[in-house]
Amino acid sequence: MRLVAASTLTPDELADVRQIYFDGFEPHLRAPFDDLLADTALVLVDSRPLGLAVLRVLGGTGWVYLRYFTVGEKGRGLGEHLWTHLRVAMTGAGHTRIIYDVEDPAQPGIDPAEERIRHRRIAFYRRLGAVLLPVNGYLPPEGSAGHPMLLMAADYVAQTPAAADDLGRIVVAVYEHRYGIAPSDPVVTRTLRLSGVSHAG
């Protein structure tokens, strides 16, 4: 298996990647597929596409934001393969941390099956070394049907401070460089306040 840029794939291979993407995310969580190619879209391939990861560099922080991460066949360990290849690629590119959001299992009104799926997703990332960050009130301006999400992060190299102790900078970086929201925007300052972080340092 290897990781390649989506831009290097044939139209038929891209069609397979599109299907993996559509199968992996509910409609309210999807961006238009062509928009993904404007970011760093990487595909795990063997004889055919097996998984997709889409990332965006978070300004000059040295971090990347994982927009999408999915594989075509569950239960084969492909998620771990994709994560491992992604870690190698991002470390090689000089990135020290990966940050992403996940749906909250405690969201009111979801059914028990969806709650279990969300718990399993978080457990999967934790097994791979990620941590669930103590960020409260994080609300992406698009997707997730307007519901608050949870933030997770994994450090690719040993750092000081660790992700869990660097909340202010992480919150600001995600809002600013993922969504184009200024640090002074009320949604950012509200998230910082609810998370007990008074500044981005």
Side-chain angles (χ1 to χ4, degrees):
M1 295 181 193
R2 66 191 191 282
L3 200 63
V4 301
S7 59
T8 66
L9 299 179
T10 67
D12 285 346
E13 289 169 331
L14 274 179
D16 288 344
V17 175
R18 184 191 299 264
Q19 191 60 55
I20 290 171
Y21 172 60
F22 274 51
D23 290 344
F25 295 96
E26 295 296 323
H28 72 281
L29 295 175
R30 293 185 210 134
F33 182 76
D34 289 344
D35 288 359
L36 306 187
L37 305 182
D39 279 322
T40 301
L42 301 174
V43 180
L44 182 69
V45 298
D46 196 350
S47 57
R48 59 188 174 85
L50 301 172
L52 169 69
V54 181
L55 304 108
R56 180 171 294 177
V57 175
L58 293 176
T61 61
W63 309 335
V64 290
Y65 179 89
L66 181 62
R67 290 187 63 192
Y68 294 102
F69 182 94
T70 189
V71 296
E73 296 180 46
K74 307 298 189 285
R76 291 183 49 200
L78 295 178
E80 291 187 30
H81 283 294
L82 178 55
W83 183 266
T84 299
H85 281 77
L86 192 60
R87 184 184 190 107
V88 171
M90 292 300 99
T91 303
H95 300 298
T96 59
R97 175 178 290 161
I98 187 166
I99 304 162
Y100 47 96
D101 54 37
V102 292
E103 293 179 292
D104 189 350
Q107 178 184 320
I110 63 172
D111 62 50
E114 176 63 20
E115 182 181 347
R116 287 193 295 272
I117 289 170
R118 295 181 182 189
H119 277 298
R120 284 200 302 267
R121 186 175 296 129
I122 291 170
F124 165 78
Y125 287 122
R126 281 179 158 158
R127 285 198 306 272
L128 298 175
V131 296
L132 192 61
L133 300 175
V135 172
N136 298 309
Y138 166 65
L139 184 63
E142 58 188 53
S144 72
H147 296 296
M149 304 277 278
L150 303 177
L151 278 173
M152 298 190 75
D155 285 342
Y156 284 150
V157 296
Q159 284 184 249
T160 302
D165 299 319
D166 208 9
L167 297 185
R169 292 182 63 218
I170 289 173
V171 167
V172 169
V174 170
Y175 275 124
E176 182 175 14
H177 300 294
R178 165 64 181 97
Y179 294 109
I181 299 176
S184 58
D185 189 280
V187 72
V188 181
T189 56
R190 177 180 178 273
T191 303
L192 291 171
R193 184 179 72 253
L194 291 174
S195 303
V197 181
S198 60
H199 59 82

